[in-house]
Every structure is written in C-alpha cells, then in structure tokens.
Amino acid sequence: MTAELHQPSEIQRGRIAYRRRQTIRSVLLAALSTAVVGVLLAVAVTGAPGWDRVKQSFFSPEVAWRWLPDILEGLWLNVRLLVVCAALALTLGLLIATLRTLRGAVFFPVRALATGYTYTFRGLPLIIVIYLMAYGIPGLRLQGTPGVLVLGGAALVITYGAYLAEVFRAGIESVHPSQLAAARSLGLTYRQTMRHVVLPQAIRRVAPPLLNDTVALQKDVGLVSLAGPIDAVRAAQIGVADDGNFTPYIVAGVLFVLLALPLIGVTDWVTLRAARRQSAGA
C-alpha cells in the first residue's frame, strides 16, 4: 500500500513527460540555431574577397607546426608564473583587506596606507606597472636586484593584489556585525574572530569574483613578455618576426584559451552553486 502511495498520478506523469519533451525540443532548437549561425558566419568569412590572403597570413598550418614547440615551451613559463603570482596576489589581497578593516584610531595610518595602495594600483594600467618594475628598478643599480622575470611577476602580484583586496574587503564587510559581537562575547580575540568566524564566511561568499580575477590574471601573465622573458607571447612574436606571418599569434591565443577553459569551468560551477545556495536561503 505504501508503494502505491508513492506512485505518481496520471496527471503528474503527463507533466513529467511534457517537461521532458520541452527539454528535448529546446536542446534541438538550440543546436539547430547554433549550426545555422555557424554556417552563416563561415560563409560570410570565407566568402570575403580577402579571405585567401588572411588565411595565408593568419592560419598557415606549416608555420603553426614549426613554431608550436617554442610557443609551448614559453607557455610552460606562463603556467608557472600564473601559479606563483596567483598565490602571492591572493595572500597580498587578503592581508591588505584585513588591514583596511582594522578598527581604532591607532590603526589609522595602516588603513590610510592600505587604502592608498588599493586606489593607486587599481588605477594604474598594468603595462605601466610592468615597465616601472622591469626597467625602473634595475636602473637604480641596487645590489641584489632580481631579474626581469621576477620583477614582471611582482608587477602582476602588486596590481592584482589591489583588486583582490577589494574583493576580500567586500566579503569581510558582508558578514553581519552581530556575528563579530557574538564571537567576542564568547571570549574570542579579534584575531580568533577573524580567523574562525569572519574569514571562512567572507571567502566563501566572494569565491566567484576571486576566481574571475584569477582568470583575468591567467590572460595578463602574457604581458610579462614586455619585460623580456621568452614566454608564449614572446615566442610567438619571434615567430612572426622571422616568418613575416601572424599564425604564431593565433597559436599562442588558442593555447591561452585552452589553458583558461578548466578555470573558467570551475568559476562557472562555483558561481552557479553560490547562486543556488543563496536562492535556497543557505
């Protein structure tokens, strides 16, 4: 008798079948419309009067195959730089955000310095910061000056640390003050309250924008080539100069897109999960 109670009614089965048909219809319609648009775009591009010249200059298989090993070797440098810079930028951003949220008049100079840092490096173009770090600091002729790769990476960390600091600060300030008061009333110090109560909630709330900034950093690590290191972009530039063909740039661009796809997928998944949690009231 219990099994009969759990059997869907005829009306319910009809609704389920209708929703299934609607889903299949939507998928087929989306696939068909995408195919039509793709065909139209392909016909428009390949039918252009200058397509043959563009194909030869940007999509040469021979040039792509010849420069692929050098570009891949340069891409490995970009990957290592991304991992190091992302970790350091996140750490710096969290530190600056924590300093900006300190309360009390005695901490005003610290808050002012942290605020000035975020305002400055959020306003400065990354290219200018790279030039200043990679060419300005060596010009001082100080002992122990690191190489241009380290200086270019430092420019990335400093710039993205400012952006991430604002993301972390937004997450920290989104935690209701009553939770801080409750934690302090239980005997937790300010440091313990931040570590065990505030920061876990703040980081979870701002995880999607943090990942979005990491995706942006993944693209901007290619700008380190302005400082001189031979990464994927610099290797492609060398290939273009040698062959007089722009295909190496296309190869580097495709490799950067492939590198970004897993991180973009994780970002979308985390964003969707956060949206579902918020809509469920969790």
Side-chain angles (χ1 to χ4, degrees), residues 71 82 99 146 185 211 248 253 279-280:
I71 297 175
L82 170 64
L99 294 179
S185 67
L211 289 172
S279 64

Side-chain angles (χ1 to χ4, degrees), residues 117 120-138 148 150-163 223-224 226-227:
Y117 160 75
T120 301
F121 286 98
R122 287 169 65 201
L124 274 176
L126 176 57
I127 293 178
I128 294 179
V129 180
I130 291 177
Y131 281 142
L132 291 175
M133 296 289 292
Y135 299 114
I137 292 181
V148 291
V150 176
L151 293 174
L156 292 168
V157 171
I158 292 173
T159 301
Y160 271 88
Y163 288 103
L223 293 177
V224 76
L226 297 172

Side-chain angles (χ1 to χ4, degrees), residues 192-255:
Q192 291 173 332
T193 301
M194 292 294 295
R195 178 182 176 184
H196 298 291
V197 178
V198 177
L199 289 181
Q201 298 182 66
I203 293 175
R204 185 180 66 179
R205 293 178 181 181
V206 299
L210 288 176
L211 289 172
N212 281 327
D213 284 338
T214 306
V215 172
L217 176 61
Q218 183 269 327
K219 296 182 297 181
D220 284 343
V221 291
L223 293 177
V224 76
S225 62
L226 297 172
I230 302 179
D231 67 334
V233 177
R234 177 67 70 180
Q237 187 179 20
I238 295 173
V240 171
D242 284 355
D243 283 348
N245 190 288
F246 294 100
T247 303
Y249 282 143
I250 302 300
V251 174
V254 170
L255 291 177

Side-chain angles (χ1 to χ4, degrees), residues 51-180:
W51 166 245
D52 291 335
R53 184 178 180 83
V54 171
K55 179 181 179 181
Q56 182 181 359
S57 300
F58 288 87
F59 303 99
S60 173
E62 296 80 10
V63 176
W65 183 254
R66 182 162 58 250
W67 288 100
L68 180 60
D70 293 337
I71 297 175
L72 282 174
E73 184 178 354
L75 186 68
W76 174 234
L77 175 62
N78 291 119
V79 172
R80 289 178 291 169
L81 190 65
L82 170 64
V83 173
V84 175
C85 290
L88 293 178
L90 287 168
T91 303
L92 178 62
L94 182 59
L95 174 62
I96 297 299
T98 304
L99 294 179
R100 287 199 64 183
T101 56
L102 292 175
R103 297 292 180 262
V106 69
F107 293 113
F108 175 78
V110 177
R111 294 197 303 269
L113 288 174
T115 302
Y117 160 75
T118 56
Y119 283 9
T120 301
F121 286 98
R122 287 169 65 201
L124 274 176
L126 176 57
I127 293 178
I128 294 179
V129 180
I130 291 177
Y131 281 142
L132 291 175
M133 296 289 292
Y135 299 114
I137 292 181
L140 298 175
R141 298 182 180 181
L142 299 174
Q143 297 244 346
T145 301
V148 291
L149 178 60
V150 176
L151 293 174
L156 292 168
V157 171
I158 292 173
T159 301
Y160 271 88
Y163 288 103
L164 294 172
E166 287 302 288
V167 175
F168 279 120
R169 187 172 70 93
I172 292 173
E173 293 183 350
S174 69
V175 179
H176 199 275
S178 62
Q179 299 196 34
L180 280 73

